[in-house]
Each structure stands twice: as C-alpha cells, then as structure tokens.
Amino acid sequence: MCSKARLPELGEFLKVCRAQLSPRTVGLPESGAPRRVPGLRREEVAQLAGISTDCYTRFEQGRSPVATSVLATLVRVLHLDDDQRDHLFTLAARDECAPRRRPAQKVQPQLRRLLDELTGTPGLVLGRHMDILAWNALAAALLTDFERVPEKKRNYARLLFTDPGFRELCLDWRTVARSCVAQLRMEAAKCPGYPELTALVGELSVADADFRQWWAGRQVPGLRVGTKRLRHPVVGDLTLDWDSLTCTADPAQQLVIMTAEPGTPSHDGLRFLASWTVAPYQRARDATA
C-alpha cells in the first residue's frame, strides 16, 4: 500500500496531469461548451480508466491509496511518459518498480519451421498481448495479408477492432472480440503496468466503444479452444475449429491452428484455398529469403 504521507502529493500530481489533456487528445467528443477548469474532468478520467468518479476523486483528494493495476491504467489514460510513470509509482510508494518496455519478441525457430510445414492448415504464432509473430501461407490467405501490416501494428486484437475487413470476416465478431478483451485483461492482471499493453489498451479504448465498454465491464472467460465462423470473399462461409498450443521454449508464444471437419464444405473450402494460394505465396517468400 502507498504511504499516507505522500497521498496528497500523488493527488496533486494526478490533477496536474489531468489539466494538461484535452478531450480531443484522448478521443472524447468536445461539446464546445466552456469548461470551468482546464483539461479533462474527473468523471472523464474515471470513465476512461474504468473506475467510478467517486473512486478517482478520492485519489485526487489524497484520501485513498491507488492499487498497482489502477496506477498502470492511469499511466495510459493520462498519457504519461516514462519519467512521469516512474514519478507516479514513486509517489504511490510501491515496492515494485514500474515496469519498463521489454525486448521485442521473435518467433521461436521451431515454430517457424512447423508453420511452413502446415501447408493445408492455417496457423499463426501469437506472442505477448496477442502480437502476431509469424503465420503461414494459408493463414494469410484466410485472414489477411499480414505482410502488408506494419510490424509494430501486427496485433490480433488491434486488427479485430480497427481493421474493417478483418472485422467483416468474422461472422461471430462479438464473441471473438470479447474473448480477446478477456485475454488482454488476464495478461494485465498477471503483469500490470507494462507499457506495451497499456498503450494497446489505450489505443483500442479510444478507437472502439465496444472495447472501452468491455474493458471497463465484467470479466468474461478467455478461450484457448473454440470454433470460428468466417465469411471468406473467395471460398464463402467456413466453420473452423481452432486450438492453441503453448511453446515450451517461450510460454508467452502460442501456436494457433484452425481445422475443419473432413468431408464438410468448410474442409473443401480450405483445400481449395490452399491450392489457390499456397504455391504462389511460398514462391514469393523464397524469392525474398
């Protein structure tokens, strides 16, 4: 818990940071009406952080300590840089250090080889925070051309909430999207305050009202296995079972594969898609290798 002697100072710091932001900065609509105080209102910060206005007011008034998970959320909501984040954690007198950015993940070589061997099965490797680390030809043909997505933007949740084509592909989008939110929330609970996850949550909270509501709302279970219903522009509707396998060398990497029941139209659709795309895709990869 934080030291009571520093709670007033923590509250003043939050107030100063809040005053430096505008609704436009955090993606909120501006009514045009004059504001009594500069910057965001307390209720706006509370809304973005997914807490009650009364709870946030107690923080600013120095009447209540701030949990580590809430500190991490406030870093994102108030757009704090690394120095400001460190100062916030110092004022909160936490024993643990404020998490810093970790080195970028690279797909494990054995997973890369396995993906290339799965010519008839769509597969991709997800890393921390659902970053897309690698994929095979059929996954690209089925979902999207990941190569065209900038490397720093290759994230499954980001595509699901911000890419219209990716969103339209999923016939059960709301179910899949809520499961993604649940997965991110579980990661945030295990490793609160990591800047990469904080930045992703902030971006998606601003970009999508559903994400903002589900992130602040009640937890729903994350999934490690399930069924996806897709509407592909070439092969039509597909019902695919998916499963995820954890990499022993790096448990933060998951191999996700999608299969269809043999003898079904979905199975035939996957086979056609593989014959239509895998060979040209592989030739292109070999040419750039």
Side-chain angles (χ1 to χ4, degrees):
M1 306 298 286
C2 68
S3 167
K4 288 187 177 181
R6 307 209 73 178
L7 285 180
E9 192 177 350
L10 174 64
E12 285 301 315
F13 181 66
L14 290 174
K15 194 180 303 182
V16 169
C17 294
R18 173 168 63 87
Q20 294 174 346
L21 296 174
S22 68
R24 179 179 300 176
T25 303
V26 297
L28 293 175
E30 294 192 77
S31 64
R35 291 177 170 247
R36 292 183 300 172
V37 294
L40 297 178
R41 300 186 178 97
R42 284 174 175 169
E43 56 267 27
E44 291 170 334
V45 175
Q47 174 191 344
L48 292 170
I51 58 179
S52 69
T53 302
D54 180 65
C55 180
Y56 179 75
T57 299
R58 291 200 302 272
F59 297 156
E60 280 203 359
Q61 293 177 345
R63 296 189 290 117
S64 177
V66 188
T68 301
S69 59
V70 177
L71 285 173
T73 301
L74 291 175
V75 168
R76 181 257 304 169
V77 169
L78 297 172
H79 292 217
L80 304 187
D81 60 27
D82 285 352
D83 289 339
Q84 290 172 320
R85 183 193 66 239
D86 289 345
H87 185 57
L88 179 69
F89 273 75
T90 298
L91 292 177
R94 295 294 175 187
D95 292 333
E96 66 269 29
C97 297
R100 290 189 173 275
R101 296 187 182 276
R102 294 172 288 184
Q105 272 183 305
K106 298 296 182 182
V107 63
Q108 290 291 316
Q110 64 271 33
L111 291 184
R112 175 72 269 173
R113 292 193 296 270
L114 180 57
L115 278 177
D116 290 339
E117 292 293 328
L118 294 175
T119 57
T121 302
L124 61 160
V125 177
L126 299 183
R128 295 188 297 258
H129 324 318
M130 308 191 79
D131 286 341
I132 300 168
L133 305 182
W135 59 92
N136 64 7
L138 193 49
L142 177 67
L143 300 175
T144 192
D145 185 356
F146 297 108
E147 200 70 50
R148 295 186 180 181
V149 181
E151 186 175 356
K152 292 185 177 180
K153 295 292 185 180
R154 286 181 200 147
N155 178 276
Y156 194 87
R158 179 183 285 111
L159 288 173
L160 197 60
F161 280 96
T162 65
D163 185 291
F166 206 81
R167 185 171 183 145
E168 291 174 8
L169 182 69
C170 298
L171 293 176
D172 47 1
W173 181 85
R174 292 182 69 84
T175 299
V176 175
R178 293 200 73 173
S179 179
C180 280
V181 174
Q183 179 65 28
L184 292 177
R185 288 189 66 175
M186 286 191 293
E187 291 197 32
K190 289 187 294 185
C191 302
Y194 277 110
E196 305 96 330
L197 181 55
T198 297
L200 176 63
V201 170
E203 175 188 342
L204 298 183
S205 295
V206 170
D208 190 271
D210 283 326
F211 183 94
R212 186 163 59 247
Q213 177 185 352
W214 295 335
W215 183 263
R218 186 176 178 180
Q219 180 77 41
V220 297
L223 299 176
R224 294 290 184 180
V225 63
T227 301
K228 291 184 185 293
R229 295 170 52 245
L230 306 176
R231 177 158 292 163
H232 194 273
V234 174
V235 296
D237 290 2
L238 300 170
T239 299
L240 304 177
D241 298 320
W242 66 272
D243 204 342
S244 58
L245 309 173
T246 301
C247 177
T248 303
D250 180 1
Q253 296 190 28
Q254 305 259 333
L255 172 63
V256 180
I257 56 174
M258 288 162 272
T259 60
E261 183 71 25
T264 63
S266 295
H267 186 259
D268 294 339
L270 272 187
R271 291 182 65 184
F272 174 77
L273 193 60
S275 66
W276 185 62
T277 61
V278 170
Y281 182 91
Q282 191 61 51
R283 285 196 297 269
R285 284 186 65 92
D286 292 344
T288 57

